[in-house]
């Protein structure tokens, strides 16, 4: 997902640094530009929280099948808010990846934005994705701390370890799902911020590292499907999550087939200027993404999406209120 410097006139002079006659965006200027997008993200998070809350109160949320004690909405509102931030983080990550693929592949006639404005929107949604993931994790930790009856210092350490230390969470599905979510967070922060120091590490190095942003998104989806109690069971909601992956895979395949940079085009083996191994890896990548699209369609059509068909026998959780 390549980037180009925004137009110099779009930023105050004090917020941009001169580089060879051109000015590059700074983290400070992009944080300011991210405020409107961040407010929209908060509104969406509030709407998701309201939906989760209403479904819990009505007894229609599958979360109650996993953790029936959470029917007490007044006590566990913080956990529901964490869930809401997690869903909005996933949505913003989806938007960020789509925008990045638009920038690095064939440019569509829509949305009606210039390349510079599209790139800036890509950066601001990326920053807000990091903030949303962090809020999701912090609220999860706060809920663990609140529900722990141990001394406050012991409860604080336990909440920190279970939320932020790989392997620290030892309950049920979370033993796998939580480290996956942690990996998404710990990759999102450096990969999202490397753009602002690319002049120090070199544009080629930055472009190579930036391609791993897709891994953050894949890990986020994996974490959601494994641990999101709203989508544990078979149903339209889980199917919708799988369905949303088809545009990502299709745009990624299109970006590989028609990259914005000519150096990334896949020419014939004889016309390829690099090593045969490099050509083979590029061809393999295109075939792999095509296979992913076929697999996604198969999952959606067949209904075999990894969802559970009945509540688990063991509904124990470290979220259980201690007496």
């Amino acid at each position: 997902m390549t980037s180009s410097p925004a137009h110099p006139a779009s930023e105050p002079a004090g917020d941009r640094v001169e580089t060879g006659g051109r000015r590059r965006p700074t983290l400070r200027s992009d944080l300011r530009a991210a405020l409107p997008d961040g407010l929209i993200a908060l509104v969406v998070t509030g709407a998701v929280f309201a939906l989760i809350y209403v479904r819990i109160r009505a007894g229609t949320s599958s979360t109650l099948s996993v953790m029936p004690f959470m029917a007490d909405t007044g006590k566990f509102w913080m956990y529901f808010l964490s869930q809401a931030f997690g869903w909005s983080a996933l949505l913003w990550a989806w938007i960020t990846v789509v925008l990045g693929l638009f920038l690095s592949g064939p440019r569509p006639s829509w949305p009606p934005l210039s390349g510079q404005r599209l790139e800036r929107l890509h950066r601001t949604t990326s920053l807000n994705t990091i903030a949303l993931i962090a809020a999701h994790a912090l609220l999860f930790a706060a809920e663990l701390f609140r529900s722990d009856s141990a001394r406050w210092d012991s409860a604080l350490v336990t909440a920190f370890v279970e939320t932020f230390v790989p392997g620290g969470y030892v309950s049920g599905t979370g033993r796998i799902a939580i480290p996956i979510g942690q990996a998404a967070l710990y990759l999102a922060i450096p990969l999202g911020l490397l753009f602002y120091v690319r002049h120090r590490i070199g544009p080629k190095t930055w472009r190579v590292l930036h391609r791993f942003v897709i891994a953050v998104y894949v890990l986020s989806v994996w974490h959601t499907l494994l641990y999101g109690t709203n989508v544990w069971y078979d149903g339209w909601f889980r199917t919708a999550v799988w369905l949303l992956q088809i545009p990502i895979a299709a745009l990624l395949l299109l970006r590989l087939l028609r990259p914005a940079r000519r150096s990334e085009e896949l020419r014939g083996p004889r016309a390829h200027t690099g090593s045969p191994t490099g050509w083979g890896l590029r061809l393999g990548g295109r075939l792999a993404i095509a296979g992913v699209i076929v697999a996604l369609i198969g999952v959606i059509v067949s209904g075999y999406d990894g969802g559970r068909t009945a509540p688990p026998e063991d509904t124990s959780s470290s979220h259980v209120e201690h007496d």
Side-chain angles (χ1 to χ4, degrees):
M1 282 167 269
T2 57
S3 298
S4 58
H7 195 278
S10 65
E11 299 286 351
D15 292 330
R16 307 175 66 82
V17 182
E18 295 284 353
T19 53
R22 305 179 72 181
R23 303 186 180 207
R24 63 174 179 269
T26 64
L27 179 59
R28 184 174 66 174
S29 64
D30 278 351
L31 284 173
R32 219 173 19 241
L35 287 176
D37 177 64
L39 291 175
I40 295 173
L42 289 177
V43 171
V44 171
T45 301
V48 174
F49 171 76
L51 177 62
I52 292 173
Y53 190 90
V54 168
R55 284 173 57 82
I56 292 288
R57 290 292 299 269
T60 58
S61 173
S62 59
T63 296
L64 296 177
S65 298
V66 185
M67 297 175 287
F69 55 87
M70 285 199 172
D72 188 346
T73 52
K75 180 178 290 187
F76 293 104
W77 64 269
M78 195 179 297
Y79 180 76
F80 306 142
L81 188 57
S82 173
Q83 283 187 317
F85 270 103
W87 281 109
S88 56
L90 184 62
L91 175 59
W92 253 249
W94 188 90
I95 293 171
T96 299
V97 172
V98 168
L99 292 173
L101 292 171
F102 279 164
L103 286 165
S104 58
R107 189 68 52 82
S109 57
W110 57 272
L113 294 174
S114 67
Q116 294 169 349
R117 297 186 67 180
L118 192 65
E119 185 217 346
R120 185 173 187 180
L121 183 60
H122 173 59
R123 297 197 308 270
T124 58
T125 56
S126 175
L127 291 173
N128 279 313
T129 297
I130 295 172
L132 292 168
I133 295 175
H136 168 61
L138 287 170
L139 283 165
F140 182 80
E143 172 57 32
L144 291 177
F145 173 75
R146 185 206 62 79
S147 62
D148 197 334
S149 60
R151 283 181 45 179
W152 72 268
D153 52 345
S154 176
L156 184 63
V157 171
T158 300
F160 176 83
V161 170
E162 291 193 349
T163 305
F164 296 105
V165 178
Y169 194 94
V170 295
S171 176
T173 309
R175 287 176 293 182
I176 299 174
I178 296 297
I180 291 173
Q182 291 165 343
L185 173 62
Y186 297 147
L187 282 174
I189 294 173
L191 291 177
L193 299 181
L194 277 175
F195 171 82
Y196 303 100
V197 294
R198 70 194 189 287
H199 59 288
R200 296 183 182 275
I201 64 177
K204 185 176 180 180
T205 301
W206 173 76
R207 284 195 298 270
V208 171
L209 293 174
H210 191 63
R211 289 169 184 166
F212 287 95
V213 168
I214 192 69
V216 175
Y217 178 73
V218 171
L219 290 168
S220 299
V221 174
W222 192 4
H223 168 76
T224 300
L225 291 173
L226 276 178
Y227 204 58
T229 51
N230 315 96
V231 291
W232 266 32
Y233 304 113
D234 295 327
W236 68 269
F237 198 14
R238 188 178 182 90
T239 301
V241 173
W242 283 102
L243 192 61
L244 283 172
Q245 310 320 312
I246 292 182
I248 295 287
L251 285 171
L252 181 56
L253 180 60
L254 186 61
R255 180 252 182 272
L256 293 174
L257 294 174
R258 297 172 55 193
R261 291 178 175 273
R262 293 193 61 186
S263 60
E264 297 178 0
E265 293 178 355
L266 183 68
R267 303 181 180 89
R270 295 182 179 179
H272 183 66
T273 57
S275 67
T277 301
W279 182 88
L281 289 174
R282 290 187 177 185
L283 176 61
R286 287 153 174 79
L287 293 176
I289 297 301
V292 168
I293 295 175
V294 173
L296 285 171
I297 295 174
V299 165
I300 293 167
V301 172
S302 68
Y304 293 104
D305 57 7
R308 295 161 174 82
T309 56
E313 294 181 3
D314 180 12
T315 57
S316 62
S317 168
S318 64
H319 299 295
V320 176
E321 181 75 7
H322 300 287
D323 296 326

